[in-house]
Amino acid sequence: MTDPQAPDAPSHFIREIIRSDIQTNKQGAGVYTRFPPEPNGYLHVGHAKAICLNFGIAQEFGGRCNLRFDDTNPEQEDAEYVEAIKRDVHWLGYEWTELRHASDYFEQLYQYAVTLIENGKAYVDDLSAEEIRAHRGTLTQPGRESAARQRSREENLDLFARMRAGEFRDGEKVLRAKIDMASPNINLRDPVLYRIKHATHQNTGDAWCIYPMYDFTMSLSDAIEGVTHSLCTLEFEDHRPLYDWLLDELPVPSRPRQIEFSRLNLGYTITSKRKLNQLVQEGHTGGWDDPRMPTISGMRRRGYPPEALRDFCGRIGITKNEAQIDFEVLENSVREALNQSAERRLAVLDPLRVVIENYPEGQTEQCTAANHPFREELGSRQVPFSRVLYIEREDFMETPAKKFFRLAPGREVRLRFAYYITCTDTVRDEHGEIVELRCSYDPQSLGGTPDGRKVKGTIHWVSAEHAATANVRLFDRLFLSANPAAEQDYVEHLNPESLQVLRECRLEPALLDAPPGARYQFERQGYFSVDTADSAPGAPVFNRIVTLRDSWAKASARQRA
RNA sequence: UGGGGUGUAGCCAAGCGGUAAGGCACGGGGUUUUGAUCCCCGCAUGCGCAGGUUCGAAUCCUGCCACCCCAGCCA
């Protein structure tokens, strides 16, 4: 596995920049990064990329990394989200150096704003939002200066103090940087620094009624924390001149460097907090942690191991290309982690009854089953075998297709960890549907066969009398479109069959005591986890994390096509 | 159309003037009591296009083309 920290992990341009900065001592000693989410929703895979980058880089260079909540817009934010975010970062395997909130700096930021005013670099404007927009100009035309731009420092200072004191209503006044209304970079056309919001803040309560904007907050918070490398996504690239302008104009304690990289897009999924929020609010999924959601909490609930996410983030690379990663890359990381760590069990998802006619009635014996094919230290368990079994319905074909190696009339197969059986007859119900197979077994075939005969197929099974019955949920992609975000209405592209609940699954008895969160491979089927929310003691509910690769399914699909 | 970015295989991605790494996907073969895993092998005379510089260019120069981002008192 390529962990981002591994010495042989592929390098990328940000790592190169940092190496060079260290060599030239450009950003001072040490590396300090930060992950700065806004607590306005749950984290998703895209954030996992940013988390692995920021925390991973810090780890790699023996540096530090803060978790900082960018909580400057009280109307959007909630304490529920800050708790969820902390949980997600921890689950991914990272520990922050300091836990901060941008709101911790509100007083200091306010003083910085005052300094700007004192230096003639900011002014209070009383234009309305619409007027400001009209004054801003367009992409090709310069903006116009507001009359308020000429205000004296004294008046600006007084007005700004009164903004803070709550003398104005929302939207009545705003603090703006005095830069250049004719700049070809629209972000430099006197950007708003502070706005009035009489709202209760999740961290500071009612202490403030003015709140700083993103650009102002981000660069100064980075500087306050001594961040050396401020990593963010591409859309902030043309905000960098403003980020740097603030550092130039104010007596900041450090000089962070902003570097942008492209955000993660994953095939068949959505990585937008806003859109994910809509899915939750409109009830299209069971919540933020629905196992079909590309949120970190959804993936955790589904059973993805955190090391799989880290491995994935290490594989996709860090560049400025707008990339859309195939979903298979993620699944590959998940399978690789689980193949290594998950114990194997036998479970029949779609049961078909089998009676072994030459097996003594009422007899039970224990078959020894290895818990893992290449990790002997994980030991083995006993699986009961008896006269009546269940096998997977799709492991039997009355008229076998070409290259079908499983059970069929007259065919012999291996029952995993047990005997060879041969299908001798079929039993049908009144509709003509096959409801039972009659088979014979070879008592000599337990560890091998005395005559050395080989069989092409091995199938899984469970003893009917001993089996537990459980619900198993199969998940398919949430969207049918490869790029739902690009569709006119992504909600229309939801996969109506993304969730399938199987209620008649038969499990080997050992699975009955599986603890919530445990992950197993159901042999020949896939990896499954015990749902942490819906399972009860003695009544586990299983989530399919990911299927096994299935070259038979692929080949037979190709045959049909 | 002003500004800022990006173009290397189906999808990612190395490459930093010396003759196209690696991963995913895909195809073929071997091992196998999971059609899994594992192991081999194949997969760009080609790097957005066109010129130019050079003994030599994905890398340097010039000109084009395509795509993405920016006109919130969101982040």
Side-chain angles (χ1 to χ4, degrees):
Chain A
M1 299 221 302
T2 53
D3 219 68
Q5 291 89 261
D8 60 341
S11 198
H12 52 70
F13 78 103
I14 292 180
R15 185 178 283 118
E16 293 307 318
I17 289 173
I18 292 176
R19 276 194 191 129
S20 137
D21 283 353
I22 288 172
Q23 226 159 54
T24 59
N25 203 32
K26 200 170 161 200
Q27 296 301 113
V31 170
Y32 212 146
T33 57
R34 100 270 93 113
F35 172 61
E38 183 186 15
N40 67 342
Y42 279 60
L43 264 24
H44 54 65
V45 247
H47 297 105
K49 175 179 178 180
I51 291 168
C52 291
L53 208 217
N54 279 292
F55 285 94
I57 280 283
Q59 253 169 41
E60 187 180 327
F61 288 94
R64 294 170 287 179
C65 181
N66 289 352
L67 171 60
R68 181 171 74 230
F69 291 99
D70 191 32
D71 53 351
T72 58
N73 187 352
E75 288 158 348
Q76 304 290 319
E77 298 151 9
D78 196 289
E80 175 200 347
Y81 299 129
V82 347
E83 289 315 309
I85 290 169
K86 285 153 72 175
R87 205 180 309 134
D88 288 348
V89 172
H90 271 147
W91 177 76
L92 267 177
Y94 296 106
E95 188 56 73
W96 44 84
T97 306
E98 306 267 5
L99 176 65
R100 299 293 179 86
H101 299 75
S103 55
D104 297 338
Y105 310 134
F106 278 175
E107 184 58 42
Q108 196 167 352
L109 294 173
Y110 178 83
Q111 293 306 330
Y112 276 135
V114 168
T115 302
L116 241 26
I117 296 171
E118 286 169 343
N119 295 339
K121 301 292 186 178
Y123 61 98
V124 172
D125 201 349
D126 23 42
L127 256 29
S128 69
E130 303 74 62
E131 290 167 325
I132 287 181
R133 184 176 356 102
H135 277 69
R136 192 152 27 226
T138 68
L139 295 179
T140 51
Q141 292 167 296
R144 291 168 8 241
E145 296 185 354
S146 167
R149 210 173 195 265
Q150 304 311 321
R151 273 209 247 259
S152 70
R153 273 149 235 238
E154 292 63 38
E155 191 184 357
N156 279 320
L157 253 11
D158 174 61
L159 253 15
F160 190 48
R162 289 165 58 195
M163 279 171 65
R164 176 179 185 170
E167 290 189 26
F168 306 108
R169 288 163 305 183
D170 288 11
E172 218 177 314
K173 298 269 187 277
V174 82
L175 183 75
R176 293 230 256 169
K178 190 188 281 190
I179 308 181
D180 178 8
M181 287 307 292
S183 172
N185 182 344
I186 290 182
N187 297 298
L188 263 22
R189 319 241 263 230
D190 289 9
V192 172
L193 266 20
Y194 268 88
R195 76 289 217 195
I196 299 170
K197 279 181 192 288
H198 291 273
T200 300
H201 185 280
Q202 58 88 16
N203 190 39
T204 60
D206 295 316
W208 294 85
C209 63
I210 57 172
Y211 292 94
M213 298 287 289
Y214 167 84
D215 294 290
F216 186 76
T217 309
M218 189 58 69
S219 66
L220 297 174
S221 300
D222 283 343
I224 290 167
E225 292 178 13
V227 165
T228 56
H229 299 270
S230 178
L231 313 181
C232 65
T233 44
L234 250 26
E235 65 268 31
F236 298 109
E237 204 151 21
D238 48 20
H239 290 231
R240 184 161 15 104
L242 177 52
Y243 184 97
D244 289 336
W245 183 88
L246 288 158
L247 301 179
D248 288 340
E249 296 297 337
L250 263 357
V252 290
S254 79
R255 178 86 198 187
R257 172 176 183 177
Q258 174 176 304
I259 307 170
E260 311 82 14
F261 62 96
S262 62
R263 44 184 304 155
L264 168 65
N265 299 297
L266 239 200
Y268 294 95
T269 104
I270 265 176
T271 42
S272 147
K273 263 198 257 180
R274 208 206 100 241
K275 294 188 173 108
L276 291 173
N277 190 33
Q278 187 189 349
L279 293 183
V280 173
Q281 297 316 323
E282 294 179 2
H284 295 113
T285 68
W288 287 100
D289 69 343
D290 185 298
R292 295 166 294 176
M293 291 283 272
T295 50
I296 295 180
S297 52
M299 294 178 169
R300 172 172 61 236
R301 168 116 180 250
R302 176 140 167 186
Y304 283 21
E307 67 269 25
L309 267 301
R310 275 185 259 124
D311 177 67
F312 171 71
C313 291
R315 282 174 195 258
I316 57 179
I318 301 292
T319 67
K320 300 178 77 137
N321 301 340
E322 291 154 73
Q324 187 176 69
I325 312 290
D326 284 344
F327 199 79
E328 286 76 17
V329 181
L330 211 207
E331 292 199 323
N332 175 69
S333 290
V334 172
R335 288 193 184 105
E336 215 168 88
L338 259 11
N339 179 43
Q340 204 62 37
S341 62
E343 290 199 3
R344 312 287 113 135
R345 294 292 184 270
L346 299 180
V348 174
L349 302 186
D350 184 13
L352 174 61
R353 195 178 147 90
V354 169
V355 177
I356 316 285
E357 293 184 303
N358 59 339
Y359 194 87
E361 221 147 335
Q363 181 175 316
T364 295
E365 68 184 286
Q366 300 295 331
C367 297
T368 301
N371 287 331
H372 196 102
F374 58 88
R375 290 183 60 191
E376 285 179 33
E377 74 275 18
L378 293 178
S380 62
R381 65 194 187 281
Q382 300 300 114
V383 182
F385 183 92
S386 64
R387 190 167 191 268
V388 182
L389 313 171
Y390 288 110
I391 66 165
E392 208 68 63
R393 182 154 231 117
E394 65 172 22
D395 284 338
F396 174 81
M397 270 184 114
E398 191 173 17
T399 50
K402 235 193 342 196
K403 291 201 172 163
F404 181 82
F405 301 149
R406 284 109 94 149
L407 207 54
R411 289 265 189 104
E412 185 174 45
V413 298
R414 158 78 64 191
L415 292 180
R416 172 123 249 227
F417 302 124
Y419 299 97
Y420 277 17
I421 59 168
T422 301
C423 177
T424 52
D425 199 5
T426 57
V427 180
R428 293 162 194 278
D429 65 10
E430 63 271 27
H431 311 297
E433 200 190 327
I434 294 174
V435 292
E436 182 181 299
L437 266 27
R438 312 299 286 196
C439 293
S440 65
Y441 88 115
D442 176 355
Q444 303 293 300
S445 62
L446 193 52
T449 43
D451 59 2
R453 77 179 187 283
K454 294 279 186 190
V455 102
K456 290 287 275 269
T458 297
I459 65 175
H460 59 280
W461 54 278
V462 123
S463 167
E465 174 192 346
H466 308 273
T469 301
N471 283 188
V472 174
R473 302 135 154 183
L474 308 184
F475 306 111
D476 196 359
R477 45 183 52 139
L478 229 202
F479 290 96
L480 293 169
S481 164
N483 186 5
E487 306 285 356
Q488 47 309 330
D489 182 7
Y490 61 95
V491 171
E492 311 237 313
H493 294 267
L494 280 163
N495 178 4
E497 287 161 14
S498 60
L499 169 63
Q500 189 187 353
V501 182
L502 306 178
R503 300 177 191 285
E504 289 302 318
C505 305
R506 304 303 157 103
L507 320 174
E508 65 167 271
L511 244 14
L512 212 52
D513 304 315
R519 298 182 265 253
Y520 300 96
Q521 184 195 100
F522 291 175
E523 295 214 18
R524 303 208 314 127
Q525 287 287 167
Y527 296 97
F528 294 77
S529 71
V530 181
D531 190 87
T532 47
D534 298 330
S535 298
V541 172
F542 288 90
N543 296 324
R544 185 170 69 192
I545 304 167
V546 65
T547 62
L548 250 30
R549 281 200 185 82
D550 189 349
S551 60
W552 163 247
K554 206 191 295 176
S556 51
R558 213 187 308 151
Q559 259 177 39
R560 267 177 268 119

